[in-house]
Amino acid sequence: MSRILTLVLLASMAGACTIPTYEADPVSVYQWERRQEAIQRQQAERERLCRITRDDDPRKEELCRGVSGARS
């Protein structure tokens, strides 16, 4: 019985990991503005993290990937 429960649990966990997340496109002007502002905030945060990370930090390359004006 416990073996069956374990298999069911593992199967449900594996299935949950493969479900893609879906985000619907915004439909109103307000939703588009919120989406664009969120993207701009994320980009500003990436630029800030790139700027404040030391050059000898191993995460520097990952944090600065795709940031304009970043020194590598």
Side-chain angles (χ1 to χ4, degrees):
M1 183 68 173
S2 65
R3 188 176 283 175
I4 293 172
L5 289 175
T6 303
L7 289 174
V8 170
L9 179 63
L10 288 175
S12 66
M13 287 174 39
C17 294
T18 60
I19 297 172
T21 48
Y22 172 76
E23 184 176 327
D25 283 338
V27 290
S28 70
V29 174
Y30 176 71
Q31 289 173 335
W32 277 105
E33 287 176 353
R34 286 186 52 202
R35 179 176 181 254
Q36 289 305 112
E37 289 169 357
I39 292 170
Q40 290 172 350
R41 283 192 305 274
Q42 290 169 349
Q43 184 64 24
E45 178 64 11
R46 289 188 67 197
E47 290 172 358
R48 184 188 74 80
L49 288 173
C50 178
R51 192 174 51 249
I52 65 172
T53 304
R54 290 188 197 180
D55 290 334
D56 60 346
D57 192 324
R59 299 173 297 164
K60 179 80 172 183
E61 181 180 340
E62 179 184 340
L63 290 171
C64 294
R65 190 176 304 131
V67 175
S68 61
R71 293 175 293 156
S72 295

